[in-house]
């Protein structure tokens, strides 16, 4: 069976994707510099799958180390590139670190893929490339205009996509699938892997679960004066396991030479927008846990509302994110309880 190289595979989405790949019979080698994750995640993957993925502690910016991985694992037929810095706020404070890390790691990876005759890459992108879509572009599909990025993090995703397109134009052997994620949430149903935010969570759901378990005194809801039904921001919250499954579909499509273009782009969302307050209230309903919260001012850089039109991924990849939000929120709660037990 083919082997897939998963960069950033001990991270949140990378670990869930590794599980789905292995359960579909793929061999996996993870490279990760463990700057934002720990190798304990490998134990969780092994507990779910029954076998441990190969792992090399490697920084994607280290060309020789990446080359050595391709030399050691000669059966690599595709790459899924997750490894990147991904905190929006941090990117505003440290733009140069973000540009160096997120851009040069992709360049290094593409150079080493070419040098070792590996021609398939799945790239982890983000709906942030759309910024705040205009009303006529909601729900947002892949033809919606790319807008000026609101953060260096979002800009690195846009530039990464351009790097991939330019390389594909120059190197006709390269096939790339760009997956634009909406808001990944939840944890594997086994509660053996999940989201492990470093320090104070920036994202909504880990903050909700940490408040629910008593680690945080209250959740701050950043604004209820938006032009939305209940005034709070709307996002497309997608179950991380559904998201992981889309990566397997993308790999299969390229390995089976089914891709219609050298570079294909897919929006990965549920197609349903939910507000912060809807998420919060649904969480309290399904868990029976009261989450203290306070409405405060808006967070700088937040967009008002975005959710996906996932028809292309549904029809072309034969994939659908259909896990009920209630189950997704419960999975996040079970994970929080597990890691605090
Ligand atoms: C969601 C909503 C907040 C925390 C970002 C990145 C995106 C991806 C996911 C990496 C917003 C509100 C949040 C809190 C709150 N990251 N919120 N209180 O900003 O949509 O997307 O994370 O790949 O690329 O841009 O996600 O979870 O931070 O916020 O009210 O304590 O929850 O204002 O409306 P976001 P988020």
């Amino acid at each position: 069976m083919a082997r897939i190289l998963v960069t950033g595979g001990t991270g949140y989405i990378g670990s869930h994707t590794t599980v789905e790949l292995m359960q579909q019979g793929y061999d996996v080698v993870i490279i990760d510099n463990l700057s934002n994750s720990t190798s304990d995640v490998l134990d969780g993957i092994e507990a779910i799958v029954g076998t441990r993925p190969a792992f090399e502690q490697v920084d994607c910016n280290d060309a020789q180390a990446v080359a050595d991985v391709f030399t050691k694992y000669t059966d690599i037929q595709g790459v899924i590139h997750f490894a990147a810095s991904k905190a929006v706020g941090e990117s505003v404070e440290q733009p140069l670190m973000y540009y160096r890390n997120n851009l040069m790691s992709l360049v290094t990876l593409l150079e080493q893929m070419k040098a070792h005759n590996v021609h398939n890459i799945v790239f982890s992108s983000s709906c942030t490339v759309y910024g705040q879509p205009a009303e006529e572009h909601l729900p947002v599909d892949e033809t919606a205009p790319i807008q000026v990025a609101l953060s260096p993090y979002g800009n690195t995703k846009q530039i990464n996509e351009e790097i991939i397109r330019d390389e594909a134009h120059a190197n006709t052997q390269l096939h790339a699938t760009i997956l634009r994620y909406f808001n990944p949430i939840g944890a594997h149903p086994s509660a053996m892997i999940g989201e492990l935010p470093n320090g104070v969570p920036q994202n909504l759901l880990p903050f909700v679960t940490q408040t629910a378990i008593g680690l945080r005194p209250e959740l701050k809801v950043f604004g209820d004066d938006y032009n939305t039904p209940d005034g709070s921001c709307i996002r497309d919250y997608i179950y991380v396991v559904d998201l992981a499954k889309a990566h397997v579909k993308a790999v299969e499509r390229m390995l089976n030479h089914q891709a219609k273009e050298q570079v294909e782009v897919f929006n990965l969302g549920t197609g349903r927008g939910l507000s912060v307050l809807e998420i919060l209230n649904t969480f309290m309903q399904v868990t029976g846990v009261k989450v203290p919260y306070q409405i405060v001012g808006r967070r700088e850089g937040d967009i008002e509302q975005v959710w996906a039109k996932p028809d292309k991924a549904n029809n072309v990849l034969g994939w659908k994110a259909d896990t009920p939000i209630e189950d997704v929120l419960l999975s996040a709660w079970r994970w929080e309880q597990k890691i605090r037990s």
Side-chain angles (χ1 to χ4, degrees):
M1 193 60 171
R3 186 183 295 274
I4 304 298
L5 165 62
V6 178
T7 77
T10 52
Y12 175 40
I13 303 166
S15 55
H16 286 82
T17 301
T18 297
V19 164
E20 299 306 319
L21 283 166
M22 294 176 75
Q23 288 183 330
Q24 289 304 311
Y26 289 93
D27 293 322
V28 170
V29 52
I30 290 174
I31 63 173
D32 201 300
N33 66 4
L34 300 180
S35 62
N36 194 24
S37 59
T38 76
S39 57
D40 295 352
V41 172
L42 300 171
D43 301 333
I45 294 169
E46 184 176 8
I48 298 167
V49 178
T51 50
R52 197 177 184 83
F55 172 74
E56 304 289 344
Q57 186 168 351
V58 161
D59 187 313
C60 289
N61 287 292
D62 180 343
Q64 187 55 59
V66 174
D68 293 346
V69 172
F70 281 106
T71 304
K72 180 174 178 181
Y73 300 89
T74 52
D75 53 350
I76 292 171
Q77 293 188 25
V79 177
I80 304 181
H81 184 41
F82 292 105
S85 302
K86 59 148 217 153
V88 172
E90 183 186 52
S91 78
V92 173
E93 290 153 20
Q94 302 183 54
L96 298 181
M97 185 270 274
Y98 269 70
Y99 286 116
R100 174 176 296 284
N101 186 40
N102 290 5
L103 303 186
M104 293 318 295
S105 59
L106 176 63
V107 170
T108 302
L109 190 60
L110 288 169
E111 286 173 334
Q112 293 309 319
M113 284 173 63
K114 187 159 52 181
H116 295 85
N117 286 315
V118 176
H119 304 299
N120 302 302
I121 183 169
V122 176
F123 176 66
S124 165
S125 190
S126 169
C127 64
T128 42
V129 302
Y130 298 116
Q132 173 58 66
E135 201 167 332
E136 66 266 24
H137 288 299
L138 281 173
V140 64
D141 69 18
E142 292 80 359
T143 66
I146 304 297
Q147 300 200 72
V148 174
L150 295 171
S151 70
Y153 161 76
N155 202 24
T156 64
K157 288 300 180 186
Q158 291 184 14
I159 300 169
N160 281 147
E161 292 193 10
E162 290 164 10
I163 289 171
I164 287 169
R165 288 187 188 285
D166 289 345
E167 173 58 13
H169 181 72
N171 167 12
T172 53
Q173 285 188 291
L174 180 66
H175 272 88
T177 307
I178 293 171
L179 301 180
R180 292 174 179 160
Y181 308 157
F182 283 68
N183 285 57
I185 60 168
H188 193 268
S190 67
M192 298 308 288
I193 55 174
E195 192 169 6
L196 279 169
N198 256 342
V200 179
Q202 297 304 306
N203 293 129
L204 176 64
L205 207 59
F207 209 107
V208 167
T209 55
Q210 288 190 12
T211 306
I213 207 153
L215 270 176
R216 313 268 166 211
E218 67 174 11
L219 170 76
K220 289 182 173 52
V221 173
F222 297 134
D224 69 346
D225 58 351
Y226 286 95
N227 181 26
T228 61
D230 65 17
S232 64
C233 294
I234 291 171
R235 297 289 186 276
D236 186 325
Y237 294 96
I238 176 172
Y239 186 30
V240 66
V241 174
D242 290 337
L243 182 63
K245 289 176 176 168
H247 289 73
V248 182
K249 291 285 189 182
V251 163
E252 279 166 0
R253 181 171 168 80
M254 289 192 293
L255 295 193
N256 297 336
H257 309 292
Q258 293 166 315
K260 296 285 181 287
E261 302 162 280
Q262 264 192 272
V263 180
E264 293 190 320
V265 184
F266 297 96
N267 283 355
L268 298 184
T270 65
R272 180 183 176 201
L274 288 171
S275 75
V276 176
L277 291 172
E278 284 175 314
I279 288 285
L280 186 56
N281 289 323
T282 307
F283 180 88
M284 289 196 270
Q285 276 158 19
V286 298
T287 61
V289 176
K290 181 131 183 56
V291 177
Y293 71 95
Q294 188 191 2
I295 307 285
V296 297
R298 296 181 174 193
R299 180 173 69 175
E300 189 195 348
D302 274 339
I303 59 166
E304 178 175 89
Q305 51 187 310
V306 64
W307 67 98
K309 184 169 195 274
D311 298 29
K312 184 181 174 189
N314 298 160
N315 301 330
V316 174
L317 291 182
W319 164 90
K320 189 167 172 54
D322 53 10
T323 304
I325 188 66
E326 294 80 5
D327 298 347
V328 181
L329 295 173
L330 275 174
S331 77
W333 177 230
R334 268 200 307 275
W335 168 246
E336 186 68 53
Q337 292 174 298
K338 167 78 180 326
I339 55 177
R340 305 301 168 197
S341 61

